[in-house]
Amino acid sequence: MAIATINPTTGSTEQTFEAHDAAEVERRIAEAQAAFVALKSTTYAQRGEWMRATAEILEAEVDDVARMVTIEMGKPLGQSKGEVLKCAKNMRFYADHAEEFLADEKLDDPSSVNASSAWTRYEPLGVVLAVMPWNYPLWQVVRFAAPALMAGNTGLLKHASNVPQSALYLDTVFERGGFPVGSFRTLLIGSREVAAVIEDSRVKAVTLTGSEPAGRSVASIAGAAIKKAVLELGGSDPFIVMPSADLEKAAETAVKARTSNNGQSCIAGKRFLAHTDIYDEFARLFAEKMAALKVGDPLDDATEVGPLATESGRDELAELVDDAVAKGATVLTGGTAPDRPGFFYEPTVVSGLTDDMRLVMEEAFGPVATLYRVADREEALKIANQTTFGLSSAVWTNDADDEAFFVKSLDAGAVFINGMTVSYPELPFGGIKDSGYGRELAAPGIREFCNLKTVWKG
Ligand code: NAP
């Protein structure tokens, strides 16, 4: 795939970039390795100072950076600004908490292991490769990079080929905050060049956020090289609405959960399961609110839904809907690509689903919701758990019994009650099943790329 910014609002190519050749990749890996040697002997206080300075740069540049992100991948400008500021917040979070998350832990009773004392300590692993997607071109990277650098690791970034400007911004921003040169380096390479980087002896681990096929490929290369991998892959999260829910609020949040980031979020509610007692009312509210969204130029403040990031992404989404319709599904609203330049698709709600439809089992990466009528909570759970994914989930209920049932039984990395899934620096984030393994954010996120060293003293 060419490394280029193609503006999804207009469909025109804004800028293309030469891929780094083998010599440049080698130079950058060497730089990251040299930076690791320098960084690992610095203190948390020093790294925290640099991380806070980096956060300040992002905050100062929020307007320009957000505009760049919107032009590159099409999300509404206000959401791009939110993403930039969230990155800064995450940087401050790890600047404040890294030392506490990675503190030594003493064994209370060392005599049980015949020692005078015994403890564990966390040590950085070294250079970590991050293979990242375009949907949150800054946030996906920073949620890895901030804890990694605070732990004393250094990072290499292979970003998605359609967000090179975001990738190059990230190439320098940590250095500008004061981190040693090379602490974070972008590699402008295609996905075929990833294997050689993972296999390089200086690279100690890899994290990938992206699709399931990419995850399988990267994890098997890392597995063969006996290197740690963290995988944050796709999702098809259920959003369950029970009779005791506040329906107006549930429908409003359902729309946001499905269309935020133009519907291209791994943790978006994608399958909406409404109890039969409230199905008709919920379906009406949901379809009405989806139809009322303002679709348009993401640089326009009034726009709520912009284009899909790529033409192929828009075409694949349309194929999923067309396949469902051909097999008998009902479109409650939307269902077509508007006749205008750019990669737009209307906010869509589809009901009347059957298991032979691709839309039922595959991830719809755009503003398309599937809506199910369920007889009871058991049926809701069965449909919720029937995909191969297990990222997150949402349940709307004011019944304590229903709440306990779903919290315990949903096969997912998270359950959000009376809300939509959102990532927070303070909460661990990640999935099960084909949604991947490992956790980002909070304390588990910073520990993923550390050696947990046991110390025994006689
Ligand atoms: P993608 O095609 O898998 O691309 C993600 C990254 O992987 C890009 O940098 C891509 O590079 C690279 N890549 C693709 N195939 C590869 C391979 N065989 N070997 C090595 N690298 C490879 O995913 P996407 O379409 O950009 O992103 C959408 C997907 O990401 C959705 O499934 C979404 O749910 C998932 N996602 C998950 C999370 C999470 O936290 N769980 C968060 C966001 C998105 P190129 O661009 O050069 O192909």
Side-chain angles (χ1 to χ4, degrees), residues 132 134-135 140 143 158 161 209-211 214 232-234 266 363:
M132 289 289 151
W134 45 263
N135 62 340
Q140 299 291 0
R143 77 182 187 183
K158 182 273 181 271
S161 298
T209 300
S211 62
E232 297 287 358
L233 308 179
C266 52
E363 179 184 27

Side-chain angles (χ1 to χ4, degrees), residues 63-376:
D63 289 340
D64 289 346
V65 179
R67 200 180 155 79
M68 170 188 77
V69 166
T70 290
I71 289 172
E72 208 154 51
M73 58 67 67
K75 81 178 71 187
L77 189 59
Q79 294 181 28
S80 294
K81 285 184 189 168
E83 179 174 339
V84 177
L85 297 178
K86 186 169 174 175
C87 290
K89 185 177 171 213
N90 195 45
M91 289 173 175
R92 290 210 165 81
F93 175 78
Y94 279 108
D96 291 346
H97 295 288
E99 187 163 12
E100 157 203 339
F101 290 154
L102 300 181
D104 292 359
E105 279 180 39
K106 274 200 176 305
L107 187 68
D108 285 343
D109 177 15
S111 69
S112 67
V113 294
N114 303 318
S116 63
S117 63
W119 68 97
T120 52
R121 49 183 273 114
Y122 289 98
E123 294 179 355
L125 286 182
V127 182
V128 183
L129 172 67
V131 182
M132 289 289 151
W134 45 263
N135 62 340
Y136 293 92
L138 301 180
W139 169 244
Q140 299 291 0
V141 178
V142 167
R143 77 182 187 183
F144 151 73
L149 268 58
M150 281 307 301
N153 292 304
T154 58
L156 290 171
L157 169 66
K158 182 273 181 271
H159 217 327
S161 298
N162 58 327
V163 288
Q165 295 189 48
S166 301
L168 291 172
Y169 182 78
L170 290 161
D171 183 53
T172 56
V173 74
F174 290 99
E175 245 164 70
R176 291 168 65 209
F179 278 92
V181 171
S183 295
F184 197 81
R185 272 283 163 267
T186 289
L187 305 175
L188 287 183
I189 56 174
S191 53
R192 265 179 302 203
E193 279 71 58
V194 166
V197 179
I198 296 172
E199 285 159 358
D200 189 291
S201 61
R202 292 161 294 186
V203 174
K204 303 299 183 212
V206 59
T207 180
L208 177 135
T209 300
S211 62
E212 189 193 324
R216 283 187 198 283
S217 166
V218 161
S220 42
I221 296 161
I226 316 186
K227 292 186 185 178
K228 171 95 184 255
V230 166
L231 301 179
E232 297 287 358
L233 308 179
S236 190
D237 291 358
F239 186 107
I240 299 168
V241 187
M242 295 299 284
S244 59
D246 177 336
L247 284 195
E248 182 66 38
K249 241 171 137 181
E252 198 179 296
T253 309
V255 170
K256 207 169 155 207
R258 182 56 291 215
T259 59
S260 175
N261 212 41
N262 304 338
Q264 304 158 117
S265 169
C266 52
I267 48 170
K270 292 180 182 134
R271 298 174 299 137
F272 296 80
L273 318 179
H275 190 282
T276 188
D277 291 355
I278 45 86
Y279 177 89
D280 292 334
E281 178 63 358
F282 178 77
R284 184 185 64 76
L285 287 169
F286 187 34
E288 265 176 27
K289 289 176 194 296
M290 286 286 275
L293 289 168
K294 187 167 183 325
V295 178
D297 181 347
L299 288 173
D300 179 345
D301 279 341
T303 293
E304 292 166 296
V305 181
L308 280 283
T310 62
E311 187 168 24
S312 60
R314 193 270 311 273
D315 293 348
E316 280 160 29
L317 188 69
E319 273 174 31
L320 289 185
V321 176
D322 293 349
D323 170 73
V325 170
K327 290 172 181 159
T330 306
V331 173
L332 301 185
T333 184
T336 52
D339 183 20
R340 58 180 293 169
F343 314 139
F344 289 85
Y345 198 82
E346 286 174 356
T348 297
V349 181
V350 180
S351 69
L353 297 140
T354 48
D355 288 352
D356 57 335
M357 298 171 184
R358 289 178 56 203
L359 193 52
V360 169
M361 286 302 176
E362 295 178 34
E363 179 184 27
F365 216 56
V368 172
T370 52
L371 179 61
Y372 296 80
R373 183 193 290 272
V374 293
D376 49 30

